Amino acid sequence: MMIACSEKCVYEEDGLCTLKHVTTPSSTPLKDCPYFTEKNKKKDGD
């Protein structure tokens, strides 16, 4: 399923959400995206 994504999120690529499976909701959710994680924030271990 293709999910449109207009946010600057780590899962956004070419305007689509690339999240493949449900994970724990982020600590910074948006109204329409409980998994939103800002692109400029580094993940642990990066």
Side-chain angles (χ1 to χ4, degrees):
M1 177 168 73
M2 305 291 254
I3 300 171
C5 180
S6 61
E7 304 299 334
K8 299 301 182 202
C9 177
V10 295
Y11 302 116
E12 183 275 330
E13 187 173 307
D14 296 327
L16 297 173
C17 181
T18 62
L19 185 64
K20 300 290 186 207
H21 57 277
V22 175
T23 64
T24 304
S26 82
S27 60
T28 55
L30 296 181
K31 178 184 170 203
D32 296 324
C33 184
Y35 307 107
F36 175 79
T37 303
E38 286 184 66
K39 266 189 180 175
N40 61 355
K41 287 190 177 181
K42 289 188 175 189
K43 292 183 180 180
D44 292 339
D46 284 353

